[in-house]
Amino acid sequence: MEGDGVAVRRARERRQKRQRPGAEPGDGKGSCGRTSSRSPPAPKKLSTGEPEGEPEDEYVDSEVELFGDYDSFSGNNSLLAEVHDLEERCMKSTDGVLDIKNLDCNTAVEPVCGDVQLQNAKNIEQILPIPESTTNSRSRRKFDFLSTMKEQKDSSLDPHGDSLENLPSSQLLFLKQSEECLIHPHKVAEVKERAYHWNQSPDKISDVPHCHDTENVKKDSEPSASSLSEPRRRSLKDHLKSAMTENARAPASLVSKSKQLKEAVVSEEIGVAERTHSASFVDIGPFYGLPTKVKELLTEFRGIDKLYDWQHACLTLESLQQRKNLIYSLPTSGGKTLVAEILILQQLLCKQMDVLMILPYVAIVQEKVAGLSGFGMELGFLVEEYAGSRGRIPPIKRRLKKSLYIATIERGHTLVNSLIETGRIGDLGLVVVDELHMLGEGSRGAVLEMTLAKIIYKSKTTQIIGMSATLNNVGDLQQFLKAEYYTSNFRPVELKEYVKIRDTIYEVDNKEENGFRFSRLLNFKYSTDLQKTDPDHLIALVTEVIPQYSCLVFCPTKKNCENVAEMICKHLNRDYKKLKEKEKRNLLTDLRNICSGRLCPVLKQTIPYGISYHHSGLTSEERKRIEEAYSSGILCLLTCTSTLAAGVNLPARRVILRAPYVATEFMKKNQYKQMIGRAGRAGIDKAGESILIVQEKDRNLIANSPEEVFQFMHVTLFSVQPQLLPEGKSLQDVTTEVLQWLKQNGLLKDSTSCDGEQILVITKLGQATYKGSIDLAYCDTLYADLKKGLEGLILESCLHLIYLTTPYSMVLQCSPNWMIYFRQYSQLSPAEQQVAVLVGVPESFITKKASGQAVRMDVDIGTASRLYLSLVLHALLKVNNVWEVAEKFNISRGFIQTLLNSAASFSSSVLHFCEELNEFWVYKALLTELTKRLMYCVKAELIPLMEVAGVLEPRAKQLYNSGYKTLAHLANANPDVLVKTIEHLSRSQARQIVSSAKMLLTEKAEALQEEVEELLRIPADIT
């Protein structure tokens, strides 16, 4: 707007043109019929050449004289007349459209003015700047009016006009929000309210003068006596005149408007930034693009204050920034998992994508779920467990939060299949594979390879990260995964490798010609009897470190673990019993409670010395309690099998390998590296050492080099390893043979496309096999068994259903005791004995086998073994006691628990298999309940607590008896109170349990909310 002097000059020029006689300055009335209620400011001297006789310094205080008949600031149109006309039409439109009771949100408002009117509206916005003292409601109404005028403008208006280009981003954001208020249905209420106040209280809109003088604002906002007799509703033209007049009178602000505008813009942008921060939880900082809270949580939960140099180098790789696949390999305990977890958090928080983490074993999955649940609760993402039969297939599609799926190899394959089937594989932003070397581990490796191949083929946006401590065929894996490779020899704790032959210890040294150099002789006096009992000098090796430090002894078999533990205890000094005597008694009490009053005689003998065995023959509850005792220092020595090396984190000062064998097979390099990697873990020991005991007969196997001794044999990546193909056959030949096999078994069939081309089509059986992730070797057998079951399904007992869900893979591990078989068969009810007849195992066959007679009957021994395993499961579901069933069938309790977990997982797969085949509809409801029973095998009231990661049956009983009977009780528990209430529960365990319960409760609530929103969502085809 021009200054006061220019306004006066224009008024004087108009008077000269009109030459109206009798008109005196100051006599004119405003369009509203009111006069000024205050004295004008001092007159200003004009520096223009005016004829004599006209008063040079006169200050005109008249709205008529100021505006007269020339009221257009655009030069060609009458602004106020157009605004007045526009107001009338807008009010009519408002009365018709914004009716309080009959508002139609979809009514389209026709344009009532052209480009000139819109430009005039922008001019009004520039001419009438609203000061900071104006209320927020008034500012919103002004923007609503301007936004309405802008929306009525023709869509051909140039979007790059000066008026829009020069606006800061914050003002454009505010203008956009104002426009949204007019067009979004959910803001109709606000529009109604504005329309109502526009019609009822116009004085609240423009009676406040547009100036920074608050005192003047107060004066002029009071209505005069003459204005009280006027109608409440005045025209917009009168409001504009009044406001412009008051602005002309107002003294110039002491602060420049440009400075005020800058301050307002800065303030508004800060507010927008703060709102964005609080709404989307984006806190980009120095910690690899993650919220700074992540670093705080790592310190709080893990005690990590600083990353290793290699971790920083890996996380800042250019390939990761470009979202390329990556394989990285470092020695055990180097910190590989932390890098993977940071990449996972980047994907969940920064890229807002789901993540799948594949781990080798159920125990590691549960440990990782418990460890990351706290991060999920603090950072706002979900952690979902996919192990055994846990995890929904397909997963719930969540809109508000992203999910981290932590799965075993088999369940990860099932999860990926379901995502592909539902067209959601693109939602998976990252797949992390731990122990990538397991691609070479027989059938499990084939499943893992198939999972990765499907992801690569179906999703071009999913990033794959693989990590392992031992990789030999890196080039093949790089080509298969199309990945970059990063490696380092970093290890936070020095590890020295030794080999013992007789009483001599050699240190592994690649600089030596034969790879070894002499280190020392054992200094331990052996008697003749002791030499016979301990030919490998294990007692001498373990007593060098225990009880001050910890030690692991890896043995080839489970029975050898127990024998070695007993042998060492028999020759230890009695003083070992006096160390932590009370804690050892508590440990024995806990194990006895876990086993319902029973206690393994070997553990009863060895634990007082601080020694225990650890293998799959123990139940998961027993193993977990022993691991806790070892980690806390109550136990100083574990004799274990190779499975512990790839399991939970159990470090040791010294690792002893009893022999270079796993069972009867020669040890692989990756297995050796996994075992010795347990020595000298970071933050626990300052040094670590491994000792491999080798007999003289095995010396030639390791004389040349470690590569020859520990050769990695099992690799099945045909596409990049043609040397593994059958002789005389190409990859094409092998692929053709496999496709032919799939056709012969009814999984694929030939078909013709619309274009007449020959194509392959998956059959219903193939789709069911794919959906249930059934091993191709068993899919036809499973179909035949289910089909035969429909002919006479016996539901008087659950034995028939148990047989159908007993995993085929466990049959080869079972060798029935035929006397026990006959005894258990004799105790079955007539209906249950009929099940045996239906599946093809008659009573006469069992009787003859038990009596040792020759059997000439055509009975499949695999079917008989599978029925025997079904009897074990049937007995377990009846008594819910592993110990009792183990004694009844003379089977180790660890094998029974493994059988139970496998059966639960296979039951879930069979359920998905049946869902794809309409002929098996009857199995759907039956298998749903059976799967739940197999999964937990506890009383019904304990099932909600058993769903929490890290809570097993003994702990669930403790929690239930202490009043924590539901998931909600546990999620709202105070960890400090839990520690005081539950015996032998550490603070860290209590925090993990509460965090896991909260995560599970949140996940269930989110799922229910998603279902509610889905039910209430209006279909897209409804207008």
Side-chain angles (χ1 to χ4, degrees), residues 37 170 239 300 365 428 446 455 491 513 602 617 639 789 938 971:
S37 60
S170 57
H239 285 299
E300 180 182 352
V365 169
L428 210 57
I455 294 171
R491 184 180 172 87
E513 183 178 354
V602 177
T639 59
V938 294

Side-chain angles (χ1 to χ4, degrees), residues 451-608:
T451 303
L452 296 176
K454 290 177 181 178
I455 294 171
I456 293 171
Y457 183 75
K458 296 296 293 184
S459 176
K460 306 303 181 184
T461 59
T462 303
Q463 186 181 19
I464 298 176
I465 304 293
M467 55 179 172
S468 177
T470 55
L471 288 175
N472 285 346
N473 54 335
V474 175
D476 297 335
L477 290 175
Q478 280 187 266
Q479 188 176 349
F480 170 58
L481 297 177
K482 301 176 179 60
E484 301 290 326
Y485 179 59
Y486 178 89
T487 186
S488 172
N489 293 324
F490 171 81
R491 184 180 172 87
V493 176
E494 181 185 7
L495 173 62
K496 294 184 178 181
E497 300 178 43
Y498 298 95
V499 174
K500 187 189 88 65
I501 301 176
R502 293 184 179 178
D503 60 348
T504 305
I505 296 179
Y506 300 90
E507 183 177 357
V508 177
D509 188 354
N510 294 328
K511 297 179 182 179
E512 296 292 328
E513 183 178 354
N514 62 355
F516 306 99
R517 63 180 176 86
F518 174 80
S519 176
R520 63 186 174 93
L521 292 173
L522 280 177
N523 185 19
F524 191 89
K525 294 181 180 181
Y526 270 77
S527 63
T528 304
D529 293 337
L530 184 59
Q531 183 68 36
K532 292 179 181 179
T533 306
D534 182 24
D536 296 327
H537 306 95
L538 284 173
I539 296 176
L541 293 175
V542 299
T543 53
E544 289 179 348
V545 291
I546 66 168
Q548 292 84 3
Y549 302 103
S550 56
C551 181
L552 295 176
V553 178
F554 284 98
C555 303
T557 65
K558 291 182 285 187
K559 187 61 177 176
N560 190 238
C561 289
E562 300 178 18
N563 293 338
V564 168
E566 283 187 297
M567 183 269 295
I568 293 175
C569 289
K570 289 179 181 178
H571 296 89
L572 285 181
N573 192 302
R574 296 288 178 180
D575 293 338
Y576 282 87
K577 282 189 170 184
K578 299 178 182 178
L579 299 173
K580 299 186 177 181
E581 192 173 358
K582 180 180 178 181
E583 290 84 350
K584 293 172 184 174
R585 284 200 303 267
N586 291 336
L587 175 59
L588 289 171
T589 301
D590 290 345
L591 290 173
R592 190 175 285 107
N593 292 336
I594 288 173
C595 302
S596 303
R598 293 180 173 86
L599 184 62
C600 173
V602 177
L603 294 178
K604 183 178 181 180
Q605 178 184 353
T606 61
I607 286 179

Side-chain angles (χ1 to χ4, degrees), residues 114 134 155 172 178 181 222 341 465-466 649 719 734 893 919 952:
T134 308
S155 60
L172 288 174
S178 300
C181 291
E222 297 175 358
E341 290 176 350
I465 304 293
N649 181 17
S719 62
V734 173
R893 54 195 182 280
E919 57 189 304
L952 301 177

Side-chain angles (χ1 to χ4, degrees), residues 330-389:
L330 282 95
T332 305
S333 81
K336 297 184 297 295
T337 304
L338 179 60
V339 171
E341 290 176 350
I342 291 176
L343 294 175
I344 288 172
L345 293 176
Q346 286 178 348
Q347 199 72 216
L348 290 167
L349 303 181
C350 300
K351 297 182 177 66
Q352 291 293 301
M353 299 285 283
D354 295 331
V355 177
L356 169 62
M357 188 176 193
I358 299 177
L359 302 172
Y361 302 111
V362 174
I364 308 178
V365 169
Q366 294 174 342
E367 183 183 31
K368 187 60 64 178
V369 169
L372 290 177
S373 293
F375 286 87
M377 291 303 301
E378 294 291 337
L379 300 175
F381 63 86
L382 298 175
V383 180
E384 302 184 36
E385 177 184 346
Y386 282 80
S389 60

Side-chain angles (χ1 to χ4, degrees), residues 801 911 914-915 920-932:
L801 283 176
L911 174 60
C914 294
E915 287 175 343
F920 295 146
W921 64 269
V922 69
Y923 289 117
K924 296 178 184 178
L926 298 173
L927 291 178
T928 301
E929 184 62 28
L930 179 64
T931 301
K932 186 179 295 186

Side-chain angles (χ1 to χ4, degrees), residues 556-557 660-667:
T557 65
Y661 293 90
V662 174
T664 58
E665 296 182 2
F666 196 77
M667 188 184 301

Side-chain angles (χ1 to χ4, degrees), residues 219-235:
K219 284 184 179 181
D220 294 329
S221 61
E222 297 175 358
S224 62
S226 59
S227 65
L228 293 174
S229 60
E230 296 175 354
R232 287 179 57 85
R233 175 172 173 175
R234 300 189 306 169
S235 68

